[in-house]
Amino acid sequence: MSTATHDTKREAPAEPTTPVGKAADYLDQRTTIGVLVKEFARKVFPDHWSFMLGEIALFSFVVLIASGFFLTMFFEPSMALTTYEGEHPANMHGQLMSVAFSSTLEMSFEVRGGLLMRQIHHWSALIFMASIVVHMMRVFFTGAFRKPREINWIVGILLMILGLGAGFTGYSLPDDVLSGNGLRITDGVVKSIPLIGSPLSYFIFGGEFPGHHIVPRLFTLHIFVIPGLLLALIALHLFLMVLQKHTQYPGGGRTDKNVVGYPAAPVYVAKMTGNFFIIAGVLTLMGATMSINNVWNYGPFDPSPVSAGAQPDWYMLFLEGSLRLMPGQGTEWVIFGYTLPLNVLVPAVVIPGILFTFLIVYPFLEARVTGDKREHHVLDRPRNKPARTGLGVGFLAAFIILALAGSNDLIATHFGLSINSITWVFRILFFVGPVFAYYITKRICLGLQRKDRELVLHGHESGRIVRFANGEYIEVHTPLDEQERWLRVNYEAPAPLEIAPKTDARGVKRKGYASDKRWQGLSRFFYEDRVAPVSPAEVEAAHSHGEHDQLDGSERQAVEAGAGSTSREH
């Protein structure tokens, strides 16, 4: 009898030999980061250009951080007074100004590359906000906010609000006439808040406006507090995106249980790297060739020189327009000795509050009126959700009207029009325009849905006419392929909610009926007008045209030979 021993130990993995491999192995053994990298590398992303809108926002933010770091080293956030002794620009030489404004001029004309960095920073901020807004429009219109992404939708809204705060605190730092007027408006808005307005203004400005502390405080918010919150929310936004399945547009083979696309590594890592350099290059080109925020044209802050053309950046124009449209007469009330300035409170606090509240609650509102608690990973075509698309376009119309109203003085001076007439036109449009935009958009969506039904049932018009032996003429349609047909029929058209009767079997009024009735009414607003997708039975019935189906093989050839016409499969 013999015994044999076997080495049951596993063969040790090969040791890395390259410096990069050794560093990666060292880090992985102490942090197990390799698991995270592996998981991210295998993450599948669908391939569609609209998903790059979020990347534009992310990479613009990276450029913002880099250029802001450069500017921070030269800007002095002080409101102490000084006399500017620089040679450039000549119109500022010898003027009394704040140290903040003086350092902005020195940064622009004395620091090598300073003006370029200022302009790159400003353009990056504008593109950052624009990409966030367009990205959120894409999410809203396609229904990407539905379960399980409601939290990420709210994170996106908070990012947009923080972006507004970052922009406001940033362009207020130079302490020029334009930024000073913006701060004065802010002071008025804060003071319009009942009871706490005046104490809150004293707290913000450190005394009566403008005080001596607002620029240092804004500087701290701009370079430390708001960027820190933005970084935290961006990290959370990306974490939730990686944790959940990525949304994808409807198409063949795409369901709520899979993602059709390419892995993050190496495909999307390469794409994202290329996109970053393209975006950074475009922003640098814009900063080098497109002059923006030339503060020396405005001069240091002085409350007296206010003229036409004093507007904030585009993303704050809706607030400016809202303030300009609000009537002043009869809107200031005195209650128990306290002044309630509705002409400031309503346009600057109430209207933005309604807008952001609508955006935050909408995902939950739509889920409630639909009664849908499922997870959704395949996006909607906007035409298939007419009410949602109409609401989105309506709110965009209101935003555009307010933004245009924020430039009513420029419209008046450029076109030689009465500013009072322009203001009244915008006041009427603010109430009529969104309703009209909603109605037209909804009807267009319903029309597109009916067109989809017609295409599925009858196919595309080919422009070919066929004559039968009995003299009948027909137009031959080209049938849709399977992918195209699937795209036009694979959607849901929910019916309005059904509720229990008002009374129970004993004739007693049911508790909660009034609330259910309100939700049912809201559900009808969303889904009473709808176009149901084509059913398989309807397709089969539409494709049974009697002798028209006989246009195949030798008979088609006979028709073509006898009538001199050509045809395609019907």
Side-chain angles (χ1 to χ4, degrees), residues 57-73 117 120-122 124-125 128 166 221-232 234 276 283:
L58 176 62
F59 297 148
S60 299
F61 182 72
V62 173
V63 176
L64 268 173
I65 294 295
S67 57
F69 179 78
F70 177 90
L71 298 177
T72 302
M73 293 187 291
M117 281 297 180
I120 290 175
H121 191 72
H122 203 126
S124 299
F128 175 65
L221 289 172
H222 185 69
I223 71 165
F224 179 68
V225 178
I226 296 179
L229 294 174
L230 282 171
L231 284 172
I234 288 173
F276 170 73
L283 290 174

Side-chain angles (χ1 to χ4, degrees), residues 21-320:
K22 291 179 179 179
D25 182 65
Y26 178 89
L27 186 63
D28 183 49
Q29 289 186 29
R30 287 155 180 81
T31 63
T32 64
I33 196 174
V35 177
L36 180 63
V37 172
K38 183 179 180 181
E39 183 66 25
F40 178 77
R42 292 157 67 179
K43 177 75 174 177
V44 176
F45 289 88
D47 194 25
H48 195 274
W49 66 267
S50 65
F51 295 129
M52 302 299 170
L53 295 171
E55 290 186 15
I56 295 176
L58 176 62
F59 297 148
S60 299
F61 182 72
V62 173
V63 176
L64 268 173
I65 294 295
S67 57
F69 179 78
F70 177 90
L71 298 177
T72 302
M73 293 187 291
F74 301 98
F75 181 74
E76 296 182 45
S78 172
M79 299 183 71
L81 295 179
T82 185
T83 301
Y84 184 66
E85 301 296 341
E87 296 182 4
H88 303 285
N91 63 323
M92 292 290 107
H93 181 77
Q95 287 201 31
L96 187 66
M97 60 186 65
S98 67
V99 172
F101 188 81
S102 175
S103 68
T104 303
L105 295 179
E106 292 175 356
M107 183 193 310
S108 302
F109 292 96
E110 305 297 333
V111 176
R112 189 179 298 274
L115 181 58
L116 175 63
M117 281 297 180
R118 276 193 64 229
Q119 298 193 151
I120 290 175
H121 191 72
H122 203 126
W123 279 118
S124 299
L126 298 181
I127 299 300
F128 175 65
M129 288 304 303
S131 54
I132 286 180
V133 171
V134 178
H135 176 63
M136 294 194 69
M137 288 169 53
R138 195 275 301 173
V139 171
F140 181 85
F141 286 121
T142 60
F145 53 77
R146 294 172 296 173
K147 183 181 179 180
R149 296 176 181 82
E150 301 96 332
I151 295 177
N152 224 5
W153 169 255
I154 295 175
V155 170
I157 294 173
L158 293 177
L159 283 170
M160 182 172 65
I161 295 174
L162 284 172
L164 295 175
F168 171 75
T169 56
Y171 72 66
S172 299
L173 290 179
D175 198 31
D176 60 306
V177 169
L178 186 61
S179 64
N181 288 332
L183 285 173
R184 190 58 170 135
I185 294 173
T186 303
D187 177 54
V189 171
V190 172
K191 287 180 177 176
S192 71
I193 301 174
L195 300 180
I196 65 171
S198 295
L200 187 59
S201 173
Y202 268 65
F203 173 76
I204 293 173
F205 290 93
E208 283 286 356
F209 176 88
H212 300 284
H213 307 287
I214 186 62
V215 169
R217 291 176 179 180
L218 291 176
F219 184 71
T220 302
L221 289 172
H222 185 69
I223 71 165
F224 179 68
V225 178
I226 296 179
L229 294 174
L230 282 171
L231 284 172
L233 288 177
I234 288 173
L236 177 60
H237 190 72
L238 296 176
F239 172 75
L240 291 174
M241 185 192 70
V242 173
L243 184 65
Q244 300 161 344
K245 288 188 180 73
H246 200 291
T247 56
Q248 56 187 341
Y249 284 94
R254 300 172 185 179
T255 69
D256 286 329
K257 297 182 179 180
N258 69 352
V259 179
V260 178
Y262 301 97
V267 178
Y268 269 94
V269 170
K271 283 188 174 184
M272 291 173 67
T273 303
N275 288 338
F276 170 73
F277 285 110
I278 291 173
I279 292 167
V282 170
L283 290 174
T284 302
L285 183 63
M286 294 174 69
T289 59
M290 302 180 186
S291 181
I292 189 171
N293 197 27
N294 298 327
V295 295
W296 50 90
N297 290 335
Y298 310 127
F301 175 64
D302 183 344
S304 57
V306 179
S307 60
Q311 280 86 22
D313 287 334
W314 72 267
Y315 48 84
M316 300 294 287
L317 264 179
F318 78 102
L319 278 176
E320 178 81 10

Side-chain angles (χ1 to χ4, degrees), residues 403-416:
L404 290 174
S407 301
N408 60 354
D409 52 348
L410 290 179
I411 296 174
T413 56
H414 280 67
F415 295 98

